[in-house]
Amino acid sequence: MKQLDRTTFDHVGVPTTEKNDHESWVETTRVWVTNPREHPCNVEWLRFEPDSPVQGPLRTQPHVAYRVSDVDAAVRGHEILIEPFDPAPGFLRSAFVLIEGAPVELMQYADPDEEGWF
């Protein structure tokens, strides 16, 4: 199994049913997300709409997210949960994989030094 560069930690995503005042909408996956930069431990809360196409472990389990330089290359060799997509075109390309039963998000920022959020 291909090893990820774990030095590029970005955030932990946690599913919730609670509405948050500072949510952003991701149309592609029909989910509301919070900015992990605003949480002291880089937690992103995810609230899925009932008609979200996201199913399985991403709806029920937390995920860990890592920054990668090439998301399309990074998913190779892993079980793909969500193919690479653009939740924020021109800002971020993302994909979700399953690694030994754990959901993992791989994130390619347009600016590798990006510290903001969409």
PDB file of all heavy atoms in Angstrom, residues 35-51:
ATOM      1  N   ASN A  35     -15.157  26.060   8.590  1.00  0.00           N
ATOM      2  CA  ASN A  35     -13.757  26.344   8.315  1.00  0.00           C
ATOM      3  C   ASN A  35     -12.895  25.776   9.441  1.00  0.00           C
ATOM      4  O   ASN A  35     -12.937  26.288  10.562  1.00  0.00           O
ATOM      5  CB  ASN A  35     -13.561  27.858   8.207  1.00  0.00           C
ATOM      6  CG  ASN A  35     -12.150  28.269   7.929  1.00  0.00           C
ATOM      7  OD1 ASN A  35     -11.223  27.483   8.031  1.00  0.00           O
ATOM      8  ND2 ASN A  35     -11.971  29.531   7.592  1.00  0.00           N
ATOM      9  N   PRO A  36     -12.081  24.745   9.173  1.00  0.00           N
ATOM     10  CA  PRO A  36     -11.263  24.186  10.244  1.00  0.00           C
ATOM     11  C   PRO A  36     -10.204  25.146  10.761  1.00  0.00           C
ATOM     12  O   PRO A  36      -9.679  24.965  11.860  1.00  0.00           O
ATOM     13  CB  PRO A  36     -10.625  22.950   9.602  1.00  0.00           C
ATOM     14  CG  PRO A  36     -10.674  23.213   8.144  1.00  0.00           C
ATOM     15  CD  PRO A  36     -11.882  24.060   7.902  1.00  0.00           C
ATOM     16  N   ARG A  37      -9.888  26.200  10.004  1.00  0.00           N
ATOM     17  CA  ARG A  37      -8.912  27.195  10.472  1.00  0.00           C
ATOM     18  C   ARG A  37      -9.459  27.983  11.668  1.00  0.00           C
ATOM     19  O   ARG A  37      -8.706  28.607  12.405  1.00  0.00           O
ATOM     20  CB  ARG A  37      -8.534  28.187   9.369  1.00  0.00           C
ATOM     21  CG  ARG A  37      -8.204  27.596   8.037  1.00  0.00           C
ATOM     22  CD  ARG A  37      -6.861  26.862   8.001  1.00  0.00           C
ATOM     23  NE  ARG A  37      -6.687  26.307   6.681  1.00  0.00           N
ATOM     24  CZ  ARG A  37      -6.925  25.038   6.362  1.00  0.00           C
ATOM     25  NH1 ARG A  37      -7.340  24.201   7.264  1.00  0.00           N
ATOM     26  NH2 ARG A  37      -6.755  24.600   5.136  1.00  0.00           N
ATOM     27  N   GLU A  38     -10.785  27.962  11.827  1.00  0.00           N
ATOM     28  CA  GLU A  38     -11.411  28.691  12.934  1.00  0.00           C
ATOM     29  C   GLU A  38     -11.557  27.835  14.193  1.00  0.00           C
ATOM     30  O   GLU A  38     -12.015  28.323  15.213  1.00  0.00           O
ATOM     31  CB  GLU A  38     -12.777  29.218  12.503  1.00  0.00           C
ATOM     32  CG  GLU A  38     -12.670  30.268  11.404  1.00  0.00           C
ATOM     33  CD  GLU A  38     -14.025  30.733  10.888  1.00  0.00           C
ATOM     34  OE1 GLU A  38     -15.068  30.205  11.337  1.00  0.00           O
ATOM     35  OE2 GLU A  38     -14.033  31.623  10.028  1.00  0.00           O
ATOM     36  N   HIS A  39     -11.195  26.564  14.113  1.00  0.00           N
ATOM     37  CA  HIS A  39     -11.287  25.662  15.261  1.00  0.00           C
ATOM     38  C   HIS A  39      -9.892  25.452  15.855  1.00  0.00           C
ATOM     39  O   HIS A  39      -8.935  25.274  15.108  1.00  0.00           O
ATOM     40  CB  HIS A  39     -11.883  24.318  14.810  1.00  0.00           C
ATOM     41  CG  HIS A  39     -12.240  23.424  15.939  1.00  0.00           C
ATOM     42  ND1 HIS A  39     -11.301  22.650  16.589  1.00  0.00           N
ATOM     43  CD2 HIS A  39     -13.427  23.171  16.532  1.00  0.00           C
ATOM     44  CE1 HIS A  39     -11.898  21.961  17.534  1.00  0.00           C
ATOM     45  NE2 HIS A  39     -13.187  22.258  17.526  1.00  0.00           N
ATOM     46  N   PRO A  40      -9.746  25.465  17.166  1.00  0.00           N
ATOM     47  CA  PRO A  40      -8.420  25.352  17.773  1.00  0.00           C
ATOM     48  C   PRO A  40      -7.692  24.044  17.440  1.00  0.00           C
ATOM     49  O   PRO A  40      -6.463  23.993  17.527  1.00  0.00           O
ATOM     50  CB  PRO A  40      -8.682  25.472  19.278  1.00  0.00           C
ATOM     51  CG  PRO A  40     -10.129  25.268  19.460  1.00  0.00           C
ATOM     52  CD  PRO A  40     -10.804  25.621  18.164  1.00  0.00           C
ATOM     53  N   CYS A  41      -8.425  23.015  17.035  1.00  0.00           N
ATOM     54  CA  CYS A  41      -7.790  21.727  16.699  1.00  0.00           C
ATOM     55  C   CYS A  41      -7.981  21.360  15.232  1.00  0.00           C
ATOM     56  O   CYS A  41      -7.877  20.196  14.860  1.00  0.00           O
ATOM     57  CB  CYS A  41      -8.349  20.627  17.595  1.00  0.00           C
ATOM     58  SG  CYS A  41      -7.950  20.860  19.329  1.00  0.00           S
ATOM     59  N   ASN A  42      -8.267  22.344  14.390  1.00  0.00           N
ATOM     60  CA  ASN A  42      -8.477  22.139  12.950  1.00  0.00           C
ATOM     61  C   ASN A  42      -9.585  21.121  12.669  1.00  0.00           C
ATOM     62  O   ASN A  42      -9.439  20.246  11.815  1.00  0.00           O
ATOM     63  CB  ASN A  42      -7.181  21.730  12.246  1.00  0.00           C
ATOM     64  CG  ASN A  42      -6.301  22.909  11.955  1.00  0.00           C
ATOM     65  OD1 ASN A  42      -6.213  23.839  12.742  1.00  0.00           O
ATOM     66  ND2 ASN A  42      -5.648  22.899  10.819  1.00  0.00           N
ATOM     67  N   VAL A  43     -10.715  21.246  13.366  1.00  0.00           N
ATOM     68  CA  VAL A  43     -11.867  20.391  13.122  1.00  0.00           C
ATOM     69  C   VAL A  43     -12.791  21.075  12.122  1.00  0.00           C
ATOM     70  O   VAL A  43     -13.118  22.253  12.275  1.00  0.00           O
ATOM     71  CB  VAL A  43     -12.628  20.060  14.419  1.00  0.00           C
ATOM     72  CG1 VAL A  43     -13.935  19.335  14.126  1.00  0.00           C
ATOM     73  CG2 VAL A  43     -11.750  19.222  15.338  1.00  0.00           C
ATOM     74  N   GLU A  44     -13.209  20.324  11.123  1.00  0.00           N
ATOM     75  CA  GLU A  44     -14.212  20.750  10.139  1.00  0.00           C
ATOM     76  C   GLU A  44     -15.482  19.961  10.443  1.00  0.00           C
ATOM     77  O   GLU A  44     -15.463  18.742  10.487  1.00  0.00           O
ATOM     78  CB  GLU A  44     -13.725  20.409   8.729  1.00  0.00           C
ATOM     79  CG  GLU A  44     -14.779  20.580   7.656  1.00  0.00           C
ATOM     80  CD  GLU A  44     -14.402  19.878   6.370  1.00  0.00           C
ATOM     81  OE1 GLU A  44     -14.057  18.665   6.429  1.00  0.00           O
ATOM     82  OE2 GLU A  44     -14.463  20.508   5.314  1.00  0.00           O
ATOM     83  N   TRP A  45     -16.575  20.673  10.682  1.00  0.00           N
ATOM     84  CA  TRP A  45     -17.863  20.013  10.896  1.00  0.00           C
ATOM     85  C   TRP A  45     -18.561  19.898   9.548  1.00  0.00           C
ATOM     86  O   TRP A  45     -18.590  20.863   8.776  1.00  0.00           O
ATOM     87  CB  TRP A  45     -18.717  20.799  11.886  1.00  0.00           C
ATOM     88  CG  TRP A  45     -18.090  20.889  13.240  1.00  0.00           C
ATOM     89  CD1 TRP A  45     -17.414  21.957  13.756  1.00  0.00           C
ATOM     90  CD2 TRP A  45     -18.035  19.865  14.224  1.00  0.00           C
ATOM     91  NE1 TRP A  45     -16.949  21.653  15.016  1.00  0.00           N
ATOM     92  CE2 TRP A  45     -17.319  20.376  15.332  1.00  0.00           C
ATOM     93  CE3 TRP A  45     -18.533  18.564  14.295  1.00  0.00           C
ATOM     94  CZ2 TRP A  45     -17.091  19.635  16.481  1.00  0.00           C
ATOM     95  CZ3 TRP A  45     -18.303  17.821  15.442  1.00  0.00           C
ATOM     96  CH2 TRP A  45     -17.587  18.357  16.517  1.00  0.00           C
ATOM     97  N   LEU A  46     -19.127  18.727   9.251  1.00  0.00           N
ATOM     98  CA  LEU A  46     -19.827  18.472   7.984  1.00  0.00           C
ATOM     99  C   LEU A  46     -21.280  18.110   8.270  1.00  0.00           C
ATOM    100  O   LEU A  46     -21.547  17.177   9.042  1.00  0.00           O
ATOM    101  CB  LEU A  46     -19.187  17.299   7.231  1.00  0.00           C
ATOM    102  CG  LEU A  46     -17.732  17.459   6.856  1.00  0.00           C
ATOM    103  CD1 LEU A  46     -16.853  16.731   7.837  1.00  0.00           C
ATOM    104  CD2 LEU A  46     -17.509  16.935   5.472  1.00  0.00           C
ATOM    105  N   ARG A  47     -22.197  18.850   7.649  1.00  0.00           N
ATOM    106  CA  ARG A  47     -23.626  18.569   7.809  1.00  0.00           C
ATOM    107  C   ARG A  47     -24.204  18.267   6.427  1.00  0.00           C
ATOM    108  O   ARG A  47     -24.282  19.138   5.570  1.00  0.00           O
ATOM    109  CB  ARG A  47     -24.330  19.764   8.454  1.00  0.00           C
ATOM    110  CG  ARG A  47     -25.788  19.509   8.787  1.00  0.00           C
ATOM    111  CD  ARG A  47     -26.367  20.645   9.605  1.00  0.00           C
ATOM    112  NE  ARG A  47     -26.273  21.934   8.928  1.00  0.00           N
ATOM    113  CZ  ARG A  47     -27.184  22.404   8.076  1.00  0.00           C
ATOM    114  NH1 ARG A  47     -28.249  21.699   7.753  1.00  0.00           N
ATOM    115  NH2 ARG A  47     -27.009  23.606   7.543  1.00  0.00           N
ATOM    116  N   PHE A  48     -24.585  17.014   6.210  1.00  0.00           N
ATOM    117  CA  PHE A  48     -25.043  16.552   4.911  1.00  0.00           C
ATOM    118  C   PHE A  48     -26.527  16.819   4.715  1.00  0.00           C
ATOM    119  O   PHE A  48     -27.330  16.585   5.615  1.00  0.00           O
ATOM    120  CB  PHE A  48     -24.796  15.047   4.768  1.00  0.00           C
ATOM    121  CG  PHE A  48     -23.340  14.682   4.794  1.00  0.00           C
ATOM    122  CD1 PHE A  48     -22.705  14.326   5.974  1.00  0.00           C
ATOM    123  CD2 PHE A  48     -22.592  14.704   3.631  1.00  0.00           C
ATOM    124  CE1 PHE A  48     -21.366  13.996   6.005  1.00  0.00           C
ATOM    125  CE2 PHE A  48     -21.244  14.380   3.643  1.00  0.00           C
ATOM    126  CZ  PHE A  48     -20.638  14.022   4.827  1.00  0.00           C
ATOM    127  N   GLU A  49     -26.876  17.301   3.526  1.00  0.00           N
ATOM    128  CA  GLU A  49     -28.284  17.405   3.152  1.00  0.00           C
ATOM    129  C   GLU A  49     -28.799  15.986   2.912  1.00  0.00           C
ATOM    130  O   GLU A  49     -28.027  15.093   2.519  1.00  0.00           O
ATOM    131  CB  GLU A  49     -28.436  18.252   1.889  1.00  0.00           C
ATOM    132  CG  GLU A  49     -28.228  19.735   2.115  1.00  0.00           C
ATOM    133  CD  GLU A  49     -29.298  20.343   3.008  1.00  0.00           C
ATOM    134  OE1 GLU A  49     -30.498  20.033   2.841  1.00  0.00           O
ATOM    135  OE2 GLU A  49     -28.927  21.150   3.892  1.00  0.00           O
ATOM    136  N   PRO A  50     -30.097  15.746   3.125  1.00  0.00           N
ATOM    137  CA  PRO A  50     -30.629  14.390   2.941  1.00  0.00           C
ATOM    138  C   PRO A  50     -30.375  13.822   1.538  1.00  0.00           C
ATOM    139  O   PRO A  50     -30.189  12.616   1.389  1.00  0.00           O
ATOM    140  CB  PRO A  50     -32.127  14.552   3.197  1.00  0.00           C
ATOM    141  CG  PRO A  50     -32.230  15.769   4.055  1.00  0.00           C
ATOM    142  CD  PRO A  50     -31.103  16.675   3.633  1.00  0.00           C
ATOM    143  N   ASP A  51     -30.334  14.681   0.519  1.00  0.00           N
ATOM    144  CA  ASP A  51     -30.132  14.208  -0.853  1.00  0.00           C
ATOM    145  C   ASP A  51     -28.664  14.234  -1.287  1.00  0.00           C
ATOM    146  O   ASP A  51     -28.348  14.105  -2.465  1.00  0.00           O
ATOM    147  CB  ASP A  51     -30.983  15.002  -1.825  1.00  0.00           C
ATOM    148  CG  ASP A  51     -30.616  16.477  -1.870  1.00  0.00           C
ATOM    149  OD1 ASP A  51     -29.900  16.958  -0.963  1.00  0.00           O
ATOM    150  OD2 ASP A  51     -31.054  17.168  -2.807  1.00  0.00           O
TER     151      ASP A  51
END
